Amino acid sequence: MNVISEVSVENLVVERGGKRVIHGISFSVAAGKITTLLGANGAGKSSTVMAMAGVLPRGGSVRLGSVTLEGFSPDSIRRAGLALVPEGHRVLGQLSVEDNILVAALEGSAAARRQGLEHAYEIFPELAERRRQSASDLSGGQKQMVAMAQAFVAKPRFMIVDELSLGLAPAVVKRLAEALKIAAASGIGVLLIEQFANLALDLADQALVLERGCLVFTGAAVTLRAQPDILHGAYLAS
């Protein structure tokens, strides 16, 4: 497997409902690091990551290493190594926990699928205990674990996690945060959208701040933590 050092976004433009919501932003996400994308509701965070994942049409370019993901479908982007964990704890309720996870690895060999599944269970042993349970019967936190396990089993080089803690109990959020640290330590690059800035900055190496579809900060998370007026201003302006 070729080493891919980053996902790079250049001059990204997104329109929704005939209105431009992302105005030519550029940034990168490094392998083995957690980068957080912060901003007020409506700043354009979800539009940015959905465009990166091929869910929304876009202008500009998204590159996975040297490969430009132009014209790639969401499934093709995932197979190339960029996995999206969307907001909302989405699972296939009619399937078991295990079948939900395996759906994300259908194209691999049986051995690779089993290996990926066991890796997911190592990260989330709670799911191993419920592997035969219907996903529709899970709590919101357990469903989010399934969604993240689906990303892990696909063996991505990079993960996009949209709204990690939304609607979840603190103990569950702690478990999910631990999983992101494991991902980064294994060399996976993570782009995290998180409503709680303090949690995100505790986890992240790098930070981006989006204000009305424009980037107003790109730099080290520790730098942003030391300059809270930047983040405060972005939340007030949006």
Side-chain angles (χ1 to χ4, degrees):
M1 180 182 293
N2 294 330
V3 175
I4 299 177
S5 62
E6 66 177 19
V7 170
S8 58
V9 174
E10 297 180 1
N11 197 32
L12 183 72
V13 174
V14 180
E15 294 186 356
R16 302 185 74 170
K19 179 182 179 181
R20 182 167 293 191
V21 294
I22 302 297
H23 304 280
I25 65 174
S26 300
F27 62 90
S28 62
V29 178
K33 303 291 184 182
I34 299 176
T35 299
T36 186
L37 178 60
L38 300 172
N41 290 337
K45 304 185 299 296
S46 290
S47 294
T48 296
V49 298
M50 286 194 292
M52 291 175 65
V55 179
L56 290 179
R58 58 167 172 79
S61 69
V62 178
R63 288 186 293 127
L64 189 61
S66 61
V67 177
T68 300
L69 303 178
E70 189 64 41
F72 281 42
S73 68
D75 284 344
S76 296
I77 290 174
R78 190 181 185 92
R79 288 195 297 270
L82 179 60
L84 171 66
V85 181
E87 66 174 307
H89 325 143
R90 302 176 193 176
V91 297
L92 299 172
Q94 70 273 25
L95 299 181
S96 69
V97 167
E98 186 156 301
D99 285 343
N100 261 274
I101 298 171
L102 288 174
V103 160
L106 283 177
E107 295 191 0
S109 66
R113 293 174 68 201
R114 179 57 52 184
Q115 184 181 34
L117 183 65
E118 292 309 315
H119 178 56
Y121 286 153
E122 287 174 5
I123 297 171
F124 296 118
E126 303 95 327
L127 298 183
E129 298 169 1
R130 296 170 173 80
R131 64 176 70 198
R132 304 303 178 199
Q133 185 175 342
S134 172
S136 62
D137 296 332
L138 298 178
S139 67
Q142 291 163 350
K143 288 177 180 177
Q144 184 72 334
M145 289 180 190
V146 171
M148 289 184 65
Q150 288 174 327
F152 280 117
V153 79
K155 297 182 178 179
R157 282 92 176 274
F158 296 86
M159 290 175 59
I160 299 172
V161 181
D162 193 357
E163 296 293 2
L164 177 73
S165 71
L166 186 64
L168 302 180
V172 175
V173 174
K174 183 178 179 181
R175 286 285 294 110
L176 297 172
E178 289 170 356
L180 292 187
K181 292 178 182 178
I182 291 171
S186 72
I188 297 172
V190 177
L191 178 59
L192 170 66
I193 293 178
E194 170 52 44
Q195 60 180 329
F196 296 114
N198 286 339
L199 170 63
L201 293 174
D202 282 345
L203 287 172
D205 303 283
Q206 297 292 313
L208 311 165
V209 179
L210 200 59
E211 180 182 322
R212 294 177 180 173
C214 298
L215 281 177
V216 295
F217 177 86
T218 302
V222 67
T223 301
L224 184 59
R225 180 178 284 281
Q227 300 177 14
D229 54 307
I230 296 173
L231 192 56
H232 184 63
Y235 277 77
L236 286 178
S238 296

